[in-house]
Amino acid sequence: MASSVVALPADNLIHVFWDEGMLKHDTGRGVFDTGMDPGFLDVLEKHPENSDRVKNMCSILKRGPISPFITWHQGRPAQVSELLSFHTQEYVNELIEADRNGGKELCGGTFLNPGSWDSTLLAAGSTLSAMKHIIDGQGKIAYALVRPPGHHAQPTQADGYCFLNNAGLAVQLALDGGCRKVVVLDIDVHYGNGTAEGFYRSDKVLTISLHMNHGSWGPSHPQGGTIDELGEGEGFGYNLNIPLPNGTGDKGYGYAMQHLVVPAIEKFEPDMMVLVVGQDSSAFDPNGRQCLTMEGYREIGRTIRGMADKYSNGRLLIVQEGGYHVTYSAYCLHATLEGVLDVSEPLLSDPIAYYPEDDSFPTKIIETIKKYHKEAVPFLKDA
């Protein structure tokens, strides 16, 4: 059910970068994300990272109550040369060769099929265009509605449905374009290991990831997402992992935002903000075990908008990642962007939100992480 439209300032718009060519990435069917047909199931489900999820995200922005505050921009494919700001030539060559040979499963559940490479280039290029739109002063808030996702892709390898690191490429573009310091806040349910790896030795990028405490899942994802993975060299202390216990919901995420994320951003003082958003942290996602509802996403959006207004002159890039419940992911995206717009009242009510939440255990974990950060992270010692 939609609420009445709230009046917002005329310049309070979200610039969405999108291209339908990204729907051509066909991830197939099978047992969850394996592509396997065991032979005894009459109905094989679509791979969780399928085009339906993004179709609904697109349509809710075009026809939902937030639509008056959305302006649409045509995406574009990235040039191969642009990919080398984050990825190695050898890895890019591997992807090109896999496409030329008709496709390849690069790691578990991560299928480069015919048409996938074109979609991957569109995702990267559209994200770069969204960041350039902000850098060039054409808009302050841009959202790259892209697939395949990217935050697990490391400089040298694919991982977790991701081939190219869309957010990482955009961050490097911002740095090359004159930004001094960039914050990347990743709220996908899985650790944004690829983005962290790309800037692990940099003190110019503060990567913060709130994720389910899932650990490493194999050679393609060697990082554990643990609190002691803080960065290396000049980057030590500028990778902050916030692994949250299963079942953390709106209150737990809100507590983490106020007691861990906000103080870190305030100390870092970025001049560009990037929100890496995945709706797989929701209470109803098949690929996560957290319990965020629309209101939790709305509050995260509102908080990050406040930080952008305070430190980066309102400049904020939002990059789409996971979110696999075909309906609820779209609703949670809508709520996130409502928060970013800082609407006074929700524009869209939550159709399935009620979920009991005990935030006592997550709060204890967050306090433990806070204590560790104060002791181990140099720039947070007096936060």
Side-chain angles (χ1 to χ4, degrees):
M1 178 179 175
S3 303
S4 57
V5 174
V6 177
L8 293 172
D11 60 349
N12 198 21
L13 295 172
I14 297 176
H15 298 261
V16 178
F17 286 76
W18 161 250
D19 190 293
E20 287 191 356
M22 287 180 274
L23 300 176
K24 294 180 181 178
H25 173 45
D26 185 355
T27 46
R29 292 177 178 266
V31 176
F32 197 59
D33 64 1
T34 65
M36 179 187 70
D37 180 354
F40 48 71
L41 295 176
D42 284 344
V43 180
L44 291 175
E45 62 185 315
K46 288 184 177 180
H47 188 290
E49 204 294 280
N50 62 72
S51 61
D52 290 348
R53 51 184 284 273
V54 178
K55 286 179 182 177
N56 271 354
M57 293 177 189
C58 190
S59 64
I60 204 170
L61 299 186
K62 287 184 174 180
R63 304 198 301 274
I66 203 171
S67 60
F69 312 108
I70 302 294
T71 180
W72 293 88
H73 301 266
Q74 182 64 43
R76 67 163 179 92
Q79 299 299 311
V80 169
S81 60
E82 293 179 292
L83 309 179
L84 304 181
S85 68
F86 188 91
H87 296 286
T88 64
Q89 183 72 65
E90 292 76 14
Y91 173 57
V92 172
N93 289 346
E94 179 187 351
L95 295 175
I96 293 171
E97 184 69 16
D99 175 60
R100 185 180 295 127
N101 292 334
K104 180 181 179 181
E105 183 178 7
L106 291 161
C107 56
T110 307
F111 300 94
L112 190 79
N113 290 327
S116 298
W117 181 233
D118 288 343
S119 296
T120 301
L121 289 173
L122 278 170
S126 298
T127 308
L128 287 168
S129 290
M131 177 60 87
K132 190 172 189 304
H133 194 78
I134 297 172
I135 294 172
D136 290 349
Q138 298 179 57
K140 290 193 174 182
I141 305 172
Y143 168 47
L145 176 51
V146 295
R147 72 177 287 267
H151 72 148
H152 296 311
Q154 295 142 74
T156 61
Q157 64 179 351
D159 178 40
Y161 315 160
C162 303
F163 306 103
L164 298 174
N165 197 304
N166 306 313
L169 289 164
V171 169
Q172 191 59 54
L173 180 66
L175 294 173
D176 293 342
C179 291
R180 295 179 302 103
K181 295 192 289 186
V182 182
V183 160
V184 181
L185 174 63
D186 190 329
I187 62 168
D188 187 280
V189 81
H190 305 106
Y191 175 37
N193 60 309
T195 316
E197 184 69 23
F199 301 104
Y200 208 60
R201 295 157 191 84
S202 173
D203 60 356
K204 295 179 174 61
V205 181
L206 175 62
T207 48
I208 308 173
S209 179
L210 290 85
H211 50 266
M212 181 173 65
N213 192 10
H214 52 69
S216 170
W217 56 56
S220 71
H221 190 106
Q223 304 86 359
T226 52
I227 60 174
D228 57 347
E229 293 177 351
L230 289 168
E232 293 178 350
E234 291 183 351
F236 181 79
Y238 295 96
N239 184 67
L240 301 181
N241 291 333
I242 305 173
L244 297 171
N246 290 1
T248 301
D250 296 348
K251 294 178 182 177
Y253 270 81
Y255 195 85
M257 289 292 294
Q258 295 306 319
H259 290 267
L260 297 176
V261 176
V262 168
I265 294 174
E266 289 179 335
K267 290 291 290 185
F268 189 67
E269 297 184 332
D271 55 353
M272 180 65 74
M273 298 282 300
V274 177
L275 175 62
V276 177
V277 62
Q279 296 81 21
D280 44 6
S281 301
S282 85
F284 303 98
D285 198 273
N287 215 354
R289 296 295 177 267
Q290 302 298 50
C291 292
L292 276 175
T293 70
M294 286 178 68
E295 185 55 30
Y297 282 102
R298 193 177 285 113
E299 283 303 311
I300 290 172
R302 185 173 287 117
T303 299
I304 209 69
R305 170 65 183 274
M307 291 291 96
D309 285 347
K310 186 174 182 180
Y311 292 105
S312 62
N313 194 29
R315 299 191 302 176
L316 171 63
L317 173 67
I318 306 160
V319 183
Q320 182 61 45
E321 295 292 346
Y324 306 104
H325 190 294
V326 171
T327 302
Y328 200 53
S329 292
Y331 274 76
C332 290
L333 168 64
H334 196 286
T336 306
L337 298 186
E338 288 177 38
V340 168
L341 290 170
D342 197 24
V343 299
S344 57
E345 298 291 337
L347 302 180
L348 192 63
S349 58
D350 196 321
I352 51 176
Y354 179 72
Y355 206 94
E357 179 184 354
D358 180 359
D359 62 332
S360 57
F361 182 54
T363 298
K364 291 178 182 177
I365 296 296
I366 292 162
E367 284 297 323
T368 300
I369 297 173
K370 182 179 179 180
K371 183 174 183 293
Y372 179 81
H373 283 172
K374 281 185 172 290
E375 295 172 351
V377 178
F379 87 98
L380 290 179
K381 287 187 183 294
D382 59 347

